[in-house]
Amino acid sequence: MVIQVQNLVKVYGSIRAVDGISFEVKKGEVFGMLGPNGAGKTTTAEIIEGLRDADSGSVSVMGLDVRKQRDQIKQLIGIQLQAPALLPLLNVEEILKLFTSFYRNSVPVEKLLDMVSLTESRKVLSKNLSGGQQQRLSVAMAMVNNPEITFLDEPTTGLDPQARRGLWSVIEELRSQGKTVFLTTHYMDEAERLCDRIAVVDHGKIIALDTPKKLISGNFKESAIEFEMEPVPSGELLGSFPCVTSASVEGFEVILYSNNVPKTMGAILDYADKNRGNTELRNLHVRQATLEDVFLKLTGRKIRE
Ligand SMILES: Nc1ncnc2c1ncn2[C@@H]1O[C@H](COP(=O)(O)OP(=O)(O)OP(=O)(O)O)[C@@H](O)[C@H]1O
């Protein structure tokens, strides 16, 4: 285990930002903390990184105690700084050179540029980089000391799909090198695609922890049938459709979890037909359950992106 966290607690006034969290991260895995804004992901990550102090609980990183051996831990980990911390008037190459100079052992600047696909933009001032390029630069800055563990805090927030995929390949490359990555995100697809294991957090607690596949299969044998209906029937009525195990209604949007799709579909179409003229059925489709469904089932809420 490269990270061991036990009974971690951090309180801000009346908010229990981290409320008794325990987990372990294995060497070489991409470990994700997935949860909505304010769930306590950043606080947990920054306590492990040694940037904040916990109120109670213990954290060890590569066998070192985060309270007592902070400086040694710093040599072994990489932390992604958010884009605003980039020095605006230095170019990409200058920033990486500056950062490599802080460490006894560092990765050559050429290799860093190559890993994050910024070789061609090496002379561009950081303030003129696109959002995706800035994020990739901040990930490169986290990798200058060739860390055993790289911490990435919501690295793709606000990026367009292409820029997100660019960052995903950087993370996949780190994994293929056997490095450990600790990732926080509130994007379900990102967690599902990148993480070997995911801790789902809400209100400072871990409410589930497993591989993405097991999180889904452990919570859902059913398929999700989604549609919009106006006016929307009551959740009670929808829940009584055949083979429906649970129902979620938000505005006109309905999700029915069904263990027999044809039977449930038949009932939905029947209902729409019987109420033809005063009920509109839109966007009816069936899909497999996702992490989004798992979160909804565990918390009763959707993660808002
Ligand atoms: N320095 C602080 N002072 C007071 N409250 C704080 C502080 N840092 C975090 N909090 C509160 O603790 C809770 C957890 O915040 P945290 O930033 O860890 O969540 P998060 O899951 O990382 O969310 P986000 O995605 O918004 O960063 C929130 O309610 C937040 O307002």
Side-chain angles (χ1 to χ4, degrees):
M1 296 297 161
V2 289
I3 299 175
Q4 287 173 306
V5 175
Q6 264 187 341
N7 289 326
L8 202 63
V9 173
K10 177 79 181 176
V11 179
Y12 292 110
S14 61
I15 297 170
R16 295 182 76 81
V18 179
D19 195 6
I21 276 184
S22 304
F23 61 90
E24 294 180 332
V25 178
K26 298 177 202 163
K27 183 174 164 48
E29 74 176 340
V30 177
F31 184 89
M33 281 201 117
L34 173 73
N37 290 336
K41 306 181 295 294
T42 302
T43 308
T44 304
E46 292 193 354
I47 293 170
I48 300 171
E49 293 158 5
L51 299 178
R52 299 193 205 188
D53 289 318
D55 292 323
S56 60
S58 67
V59 176
S60 103
V61 176
M62 315 268 307
L64 302 167
D65 184 332
V66 78
R67 278 167 307 185
K68 300 184 190 133
Q69 291 158 301
R70 220 164 262 204
D71 289 344
Q72 283 154 276
I73 292 175
K74 279 209 179 108
Q75 294 294 325
L76 302 171
I77 65 172
I79 303 173
Q80 175 219 0
L81 300 170
Q82 292 298 329
L86 300 176
L87 302 152
L89 295 176
L90 294 186
N91 70 32
V92 171
E93 187 176 342
E94 288 164 341
I95 289 177
L96 290 177
K97 276 192 179 145
L98 177 66
F99 272 70
T100 50
S101 74
F102 297 157
Y103 292 93
R104 281 190 297 275
N105 299 314
S106 60
V107 179
V109 169
E110 292 302 326
K111 185 163 179 225
L112 288 168
L113 288 168
D114 183 47
M115 272 195 79
V116 298
S117 309
L118 282 176
T119 307
E120 281 174 21
S121 312
R122 62 199 299 158
K123 299 291 180 199
V124 178
L125 297 184
S126 75
K127 64 173 185 174
N128 294 333
L129 295 172
S130 70
Q133 289 173 325
Q134 288 194 2
Q135 294 285 54
R136 294 209 303 277
L137 174 56
S138 67
V139 173
M141 287 155 72
M143 300 188 315
V144 290
N145 57 333
N146 193 19
E148 284 306 321
I149 311 170
T150 307
F151 290 85
L152 305 174
D153 194 1
E154 309 218 350
T156 65
T157 295
L159 298 186
D160 63 50
Q162 196 191 347
R164 290 180 71 205
R165 276 194 292 275
L167 252 168
W168 290 356
S169 16
V170 177
I171 295 168
E172 277 160 355
E173 169 69 22
L174 281 173
R175 192 213 332 247
S176 71
Q177 292 177 8
K179 302 287 188 185
T180 309
V181 177
F182 186 99
L183 173 79
T184 73
T185 182
H186 59 263
Y187 292 120
M188 300 284 176
D189 55 342
E190 183 162 292
E192 202 168 324
R193 150 111 189 232
L194 291 177
C195 297
D196 296 299
R197 290 188 309 138
I198 299 171
V200 183
V201 286
D202 194 30
H203 297 308
K205 289 187 186 329
I206 293 181
I207 53 176
L209 197 168
D210 218 323
T211 63
K213 259 199 186 132
K214 285 194 187 146
L215 279 173
I216 296 168
S217 66
N219 281 289
F220 285 99
K221 304 278 175 274
E222 306 94 317
S223 299
I225 303 176
E226 285 188 326
F227 55 92
E228 288 167 23
M229 198 170 258
E230 194 174 347
V232 73
S234 70
E236 214 174 2
L237 175 68
L238 290 163
S240 71
F241 280 8
C243 307
V244 170
T245 54
S246 59
S248 144
V249 183
E250 259 196 36
F252 299 122
E253 289 171 21
V254 178
I255 308 174
L256 298 184
Y257 298 99
S258 164
N259 51 30
N260 185 329
V261 171
K263 281 224 165 89
T264 306
M265 277 287 219
I268 297 166
L269 295 173
D270 249 15
Y271 178 90
D273 189 36
K274 282 197 184 111
N275 295 284
R276 209 168 358 146
N278 52 26
T279 290
E280 195 186 343
L281 173 65
R282 293 186 297 259
N283 288 335
L284 175 65
H285 60 275
V286 183
R287 58 172 177 76
Q288 296 305 305
T290 64
L291 279 179
E292 182 94 40
D293 301 303
V294 173
F295 190 82
L296 183 62
K297 179 170 179 180
L298 295 174
T299 66
R301 288 177 290 117
K302 284 189 180 174
I303 286 194
R304 288 278 163 231
E305 296 194 347

